[in-house]
Amino acid sequence: MPPAETEAPQCSGATPCVAIDFETSGREAHYACAVGLVRIEGGTVAARFESLLRPPSSRVWFTHIHGLRWRDLKDQPTFAEVWPVAAKLLEGARFLLAHNAQFDRRVLHACCRVAGLEPPAQPFLCTLKGVRQAPLELASRSLGCVCAHFGIPLRHHNALSDAEGCAMVYARLRALGVRETDMRL
């Protein structure tokens, strides 16, 4: 039975984890224009964080994907201003989760490098890798299709919604027997 829209994601284990998602405005990894984080503790959402980000350039390439335009981003804080607050959600977290985690890890590390900040030490788990291991028949392994399959509400390409969707997918994969080792990058 699909979860109610207000149902909190359930992650296995008591150790905290954090799902993260970025939207980008350009082809370079450090061109983040939105970030969403969802901290899971004891199987439920303990905290959420989201922010639009002012990218390094006024040229926004991917409006057709996430709907964000320069006018939405120009007065927003930079990654360097936002990350010290957002990173507090990672304290004590065992790992970071992302769907197609190579992308989000690359964006996070590039943004940290450009901002002169240390990237988080936590390893990434990738729910896309987990979906490939699961006994699921899907037309696509995109986050949108996977969430639809599981009945998880999603506003795709909204960073916070994507992070929460990823956390819920992780919980469903674990319930199907997909191991964390199957999702490591």
Side-chain angles (χ1 to χ4, degrees):
M1 178 176 193
E5 189 158 329
T6 58
E7 182 178 317
Q10 300 293 308
C11 283
S12 63
T15 305
C17 64
V18 176
I20 188 168
D21 184 77
F22 284 98
E23 298 301 323
T24 58
S25 66
R27 297 190 188 328
E28 295 190 44
H30 69 282
Y31 275 48
C33 63
V35 62
L37 294 96
V38 175
R39 183 180 175 94
I40 308 299
E41 290 182 15
T44 60
V45 172
R48 292 175 176 87
F49 179 89
E50 71 175 320
S51 182
L52 294 178
L53 303 168
R54 186 180 200 278
S57 169
S58 62
R59 176 97 192 251
V60 181
W61 287 81
F62 303 120
T63 297
H64 65 285
I65 295 173
H66 48 57
L68 298 171
R69 299 180 185 284
W70 178 245
R71 68 176 175 252
D72 304 316
L73 305 170
K74 66 180 180 167
D75 297 323
Q76 299 299 322
T78 65
F79 177 85
E81 294 167 326
V82 165
W83 188 246
V85 175
K88 290 179 182 176
L89 270 69
L90 278 58
E91 292 175 5
R94 198 173 96 209
F95 53 83
L96 295 170
L97 295 168
H99 197 78
N100 191 13
Q102 287 181 337
F103 171 81
D104 293 287
R105 181 178 64 180
R106 186 171 59 89
V107 171
L108 177 57
H109 285 227
C111 287
C112 285
R113 184 184 68 252
V114 168
L117 301 169
E118 191 68 31
Q122 289 92 342
F124 269 82
L125 298 186
C126 180
T127 55
L128 176 58
K129 282 184 75 174
V131 167
R132 291 180 178 141
Q133 299 295 319
L136 301 171
E137 297 203 18
L138 302 167
S140 165
R141 293 182 178 110
S142 71
L143 183 60
C145 286
V146 175
C147 285
H149 174 81
F150 286 126
I152 297 168
L154 183 73
R155 288 175 294 135
H156 201 20
H157 298 297
N158 169 284
L160 182 61
S161 183
D162 284 357
E164 191 154 356
C166 175
M168 292 175 149
V169 166
Y170 169 77
R172 300 288 166 59
L173 292 173
R174 295 290 287 144
L176 289 172
V178 177
R179 300 169 304 177
E180 288 177 2
T181 55
D182 295 328
M183 293 185 260
R184 284 193 193 135
L185 285 187

